[in-house]
Amino acid sequence: MSKIITMTGQTAIDIAIQELGSVSGVIDLLRLNPTLKADGQIGAGTIIKLPKIINTTVVRLFSDNQIKPVSSIDYDIEAHLNLINTGMATQVLNHVITSGEKYFPSVRVYNLYKNLTIQIDYNISSPVKVSVEQSLDNEDFSPIPTAWFDLHTTENTHTFNIVNLLTNYVRVKVEAAGAYGTINEIMYKV
């Protein structure tokens, strides 16, 4: 029987997708590991017993591309505190890209009226469109007209600057059509 050691923020669903190739593997995973909850975060470094692989193609995709899904980290709190204390915030996402739109959690920038640098670390198999949105109240977001670009497969990092931005919150939006890979981190610096 195989085993895995979990990362910070991983859930049973993350492990089922990563190691078994299907979310349907969660039931067998929970049977072998009765202390786990399907939707709860697993402590980092926990040893998990693994049942039989369901979809080897998906498991190989995750393994070959070093993709580790992590869906249970409180990004808003972590990013919010880091930006206040250091002028820099990092969202560690390890988000698996799927077709459609994905809005990442917003980051508070406190009436910023200066430059904002955003760096995205990623690993993708086809181009992905990215835009940045702004909000004064963290509810109604609008696109920043000059803040859109494509992530390319030939690179792993994209950095861009937004000049003279006047807002309270920013968030990154990703649009993918059939792309595979991950958005690993988004870093904000004022």
Side-chain angles (χ1 to χ4, degrees):
M1 179 179 303
S2 297
K3 295 179 182 179
I4 184 172
I5 299 174
T6 60
M7 296 173 46
T8 301
Q10 286 192 304
T11 65
I13 293 170
D14 295 330
I15 299 299
I17 293 168
Q18 172 187 317
E19 296 296 324
L20 308 177
S22 174
V23 73
S24 65
V26 140
I27 294 168
D28 292 334
L29 193 64
L30 294 174
R31 279 190 197 124
L32 284 175
N33 302 276
T35 60
L36 299 181
K37 295 180 181 177
D39 60 351
Q41 181 175 336
I42 303 168
T46 302
I47 298 172
I48 305 293
K49 297 175 194 169
L50 298 174
K52 183 179 175 188
I53 293 174
I54 296 168
N55 186 331
T56 55
T57 304
V58 172
V59 171
R60 222 176 288 121
L61 173 73
F62 278 82
S63 176
D64 292 350
N65 292 293
Q66 299 177 352
I67 299 169
K68 307 250 186 230
V70 176
S71 60
S72 184
I73 294 177
D74 190 342
Y75 306 115
D76 291 326
I77 292 172
E78 178 183 338
H80 178 74
L81 292 174
N82 286 340
L83 198 56
I84 292 169
N85 296 329
T86 66
M88 187 168 164
T90 301
Q91 293 174 323
V92 180
L93 302 167
N94 295 316
H95 173 75
V96 177
I97 297 171
T98 56
S99 290
E101 296 179 347
K102 167 66 176 171
Y103 295 89
F104 292 107
S106 62
V107 173
R108 178 123 192 221
V109 291
Y110 296 100
N111 294 310
L112 176 70
Y113 185 67
K114 52 184 170 181
N115 299 347
L116 175 66
T117 301
I118 299 176
Q119 178 179 319
I120 300 177
D121 292 343
Y122 60 92
N123 182 2
I124 56 174
S125 63
S126 60
V128 172
K129 294 189 179 299
V130 175
S131 59
V132 181
E133 298 182 335
Q134 62 185 343
S135 172
L136 293 174
D137 60 7
N138 203 25
E139 291 181 21
D140 297 315
F141 281 84
S142 61
I144 299 172
T146 58
W148 58 271
F149 50 89
D150 290 330
L151 300 180
H152 299 283
T153 59
T154 57
E155 302 168 349
N156 290 358
T157 299
H158 185 87
T159 303
F160 61 98
N161 295 306
I162 303 171
V163 180
N164 296 330
L165 182 63
L166 179 58
T167 192
N168 285 330
Y169 298 89
V170 294
R171 71 178 180 190
V172 171
K173 173 185 167 187
V174 173
E175 296 177 58
Y180 293 99
T182 57
I183 302 292
N184 301 319
E185 289 185 342
I186 303 175
M187 290 167 272
Y188 302 83
K189 185 175 182 184
V190 294

